[in-house]
Amino acid sequence: MRIMITVGLIAVSIMACSQNENKVSEDKQPKNVCHFDDEEWKEKLTEEEYRVLREKGTEPAWSGKFNHHKEKGVYTCSGCGDTLFTSREKYNSGSGWPSFYDVYKAGKVKESIDESHGMTRVEITCANCGGHLGHKFEDGPMPTGSRYCVNSVSLGFIKKKE
Ligand code: FE
């Protein structure tokens, strides 16, 4: 019974999570609106997803399933399912990680300064759930000049219907 209640609560939380999309302000850096506690994330995510999304890990270069992925569609957050990127802005950066020159919509990806590993970088996280995605660099192609360097583990994909 207790398990059923727990499962039920998680299901309700997930639904609440996906319905919060419209509440995200698009003109400023939004606060995370999708909250799970650590135990809930551990239950919801695979070990590798947890390591990357919640502990800011990095998948090995060239190892990710979306590095050379070229299908048309949208890339979602593997934590909460929110749409973050599309195939239109994806390009081959040669870095070994899926790269995009722009986000799906302003406000979907949060940026913050990351000073770990003796470097100053811009960390990118899902604005909806706070999941770590990767880093943003300013050596991308025009029109933005940006490179959103993202772990495949942090992404899901929904193929565009033909
Ligand atoms: Fe998310």
Side-chain angles (χ1 to χ4, degrees):
M1 186 64 187
R2 214 178 133 206
I3 291 171
M4 280 180 68
I5 291 171
T6 309
V7 170
L9 281 173
I10 291 171
V12 167
S13 311
I14 291 168
M15 281 160 66
C17 241
S18 57
Q19 285 166 0
N20 275 335
E21 194 175 314
N22 295 336
K23 291 183 190 162
V24 178
S25 166
E26 293 193 354
D27 57 356
K28 50 189 160 187
Q29 296 269 326
K31 289 201 170 77
N32 300 336
V33 293
C34 173
H35 297 288
F36 289 109
D37 66 29
D38 210 40
E39 282 311 305
E40 288 168 324
W41 279 122
K42 275 184 183 157
E43 232 170 279
K44 185 174 155 56
L45 303 175
T46 66
E47 248 175 65
E48 184 64 354
E49 285 170 347
Y50 183 85
R51 188 183 74 80
V52 174
L53 286 167
R54 309 314 309 179
E55 299 185 319
K56 305 188 188 301
T58 304
E59 71 193 15
W62 312 106
S63 73
K65 61 182 173 182
F66 295 129
N67 186 34
H68 290 302
H69 189 247
K70 290 198 171 97
E71 284 183 305
K72 285 188 179 161
V74 298
Y75 291 87
T76 57
C77 170
S78 60
C80 71
D82 205 8
T83 300
L84 302 176
F85 301 98
T86 81
S87 53
R88 207 179 39 191
E89 293 82 25
K90 191 174 189 293
Y91 73 101
N92 183 7
S93 67
S95 67
W97 290 278
S99 301
F100 304 84
Y101 65 75
D102 207 354
V103 296
Y104 164 62
K105 245 187 197 180
K108 290 285 180 186
V109 171
K110 191 175 169 182
E111 299 177 10
S112 49
I113 300 297
D114 170 15
E115 293 189 315
S116 65
H117 304 290
M119 297 176 269
T120 300
R121 294 178 294 171
V122 175
E123 182 198 1
I124 48 175
T125 51
C126 169
N128 192 44
C129 74
H132 174 78
L133 303 173
H135 292 87
K136 180 187 174 188
F137 303 93
E138 297 308 324
D139 57 9
M142 287 298 141
T144 63
S146 296
R147 168 168 59 103
Y148 292 80
C149 185
V150 187
N151 290 283
S152 295
V153 171
S154 304
L155 297 172
F157 182 75
I158 301 170
K159 194 176 172 179
K160 188 182 174 187
K161 285 184 190 135
E162 298 300 331

